[in-house]
Amino acid sequence: RVLAGRREDLAGRHVVVSAGGTREAIDPVRFIGNRSSGLQGYALARTAVARGAEVTLVAANVTLPDPAGAKVVRVESARQLRDAVLAAAEHADAVVMAAAVADFRPVRQSDTKIKKSSAEPDPIHLVKNPDILAELGEVRRARLEAYAAGAAAAGGGRETGEGLAAAKEAGADGPRPRVIVGFAAETDDVLANGRAKLERKGCDLLVVNQVGENLAFGTPDNAAVVLTAEGGSVEIPRGPKEDLADVVWDLVAQRLA
Ligand code: CTP
Ligand code: CA
């Protein structure tokens, strides 16, 4: 399926893909989870390997076989996913957050299995998880500012060690990750919600999935609209998750070129 012109267009690039759905422990045997299968993230990892990229796949509770040629890091919770993604993103050209990250986790995890008693159960109190996609955008923005400040200081003849370090870290191509891609599943006001989400999270591309009609969760097919930070949109008709993945990598490759 990979077109001739695409074959090696990600050669020399390091990309990070998150896949699956996080689990937030209630006690040693129970968790709060979601319906993400990991199929879309795994399709993204496979197609990136096929196009020549070095791929780190951060997989949350996925039962699919490891894609050949990708480095797979297995995690369970949102906080573990965050640590793995941020570490891999340090040297990444692109990060694609296809994982379904739990927005909340129980405040406390019981060390022992919660038992029934004659009384009604205690409520489960929740706290917010870190927003990994937003954090990636913030890390990059901070690096860009440090780089600009360093460059300005250097330009003014006050070359600081800090400025040099920032410039070195940013590299010739700008701060990493150079391209940040989010996914979103919306049910109403799909495009308006997607646009607001892209801006809120500071990502470059947001893949807005259509939910329902046997699409998305656990199915081989997907349909989506990709919104770009510049205000554009690219429609991806219903088709295999591999095809959607290839369109995402086309857009990423364009931005990296
Ligand atoms: N995401 C993330 N960290 C979170 C929640 C979401 O990195 N704690 C990422 C997802 O991987 C996805 C994107 O953000 O790429 C959008 O997720 P979504 O759940 O649609 O966005 P939220 O900001 O959580 O908004 P909502 O209230 O609609 O769930
Ligand atoms: Ca969410």
Side-chain angles (χ1 to χ4, degrees):
R1 191 174 298 118
V2 176
L3 302 179
R6 285 168 166 174
R7 195 146 291 171
E8 287 289 317
D9 64 350
L10 293 176
R13 308 295 194 192
H14 176 209
V15 304
V16 178
V17 177
S18 71
T22 62
R23 291 179 178 177
E24 308 301 320
I26 296 168
D27 71 12
V29 295
R30 305 183 180 95
F31 59 82
I32 297 174
N34 62 68
R35 293 184 193 282
S36 178
S37 63
L39 284 169
Q40 184 62 66
Y42 273 51
L44 282 155
R46 268 198 309 280
T47 49
V49 170
R51 292 165 74 147
E54 179 195 340
V55 180
T56 303
L57 174 61
V58 183
N61 311 296
V62 182
T63 53
L64 303 165
D66 286 1
K71 179 186 173 198
V72 183
V73 181
R74 295 195 175 275
V75 298
E76 192 168 316
S77 68
R79 287 187 292 177
Q80 291 167 351
L81 184 75
R82 171 192 174 274
D83 292 350
V85 166
L86 289 185
E90 280 299 303
H91 306 288
D93 291 291
V95 179
V96 181
M97 284 293 299
V101 184
D103 291 329
F104 317 113
R105 66 175 183 275
V107 180
R108 271 182 302 278
Q109 287 95 55
S110 172
D111 291 336
T112 54
K113 188 183 166 197
I114 298 167
K115 301 291 285 178
K116 263 186 315 218
S117 70
S118 54
E120 287 302 312
D122 289 335
I124 297 172
H125 292 288
L126 302 173
V127 284
K128 268 192 190 169
N129 270 327
D131 188 323
I132 304 159
L133 188 61
E135 207 171 332
L136 285 165
E138 278 155 26
V139 165
R140 182 174 61 176
R141 194 167 44 245
R143 283 183 180 159
L144 193 62
E145 275 164 23
Y147 177 61
R158 301 181 289 111
E159 202 160 290
T160 60
E162 223 173 300
L164 277 179
K168 199 172 158 214
E169 186 189 36
D173 309 320
R176 290 168 187 270
R178 293 165 54 203
V179 181
I180 302 173
V181 185
F183 269 71
E186 301 287 347
T187 54
D188 47 15
D189 291 330
V190 174
L191 292 184
N193 283 339
R195 176 64 53 202
K197 194 167 277 183
L198 179 145
E199 281 162 18
R200 192 165 69 241
K201 296 194 178 233
C203 53
D204 304 301
L205 301 169
L206 187 74
V207 184
V208 186
N209 277 317
Q210 258 169 31
V211 190
E213 288 166 50
N214 293 325
L215 286 168
F217 297 119
T219 67
D221 278 13
N222 221 346
V225 178
V226 186
L227 303 179
T228 72
E230 294 76 23
S233 65
V234 178
E235 215 163 307
I236 308 178
R238 181 177 184 151
K241 288 182 174 174
E242 244 90 14
D243 289 5
L244 189 148
D246 265 322
V247 176
V248 171
W249 292 127
D250 287 346
L251 296 170
V252 169
Q254 263 174 33
R255 300 183 85 91
L256 288 174

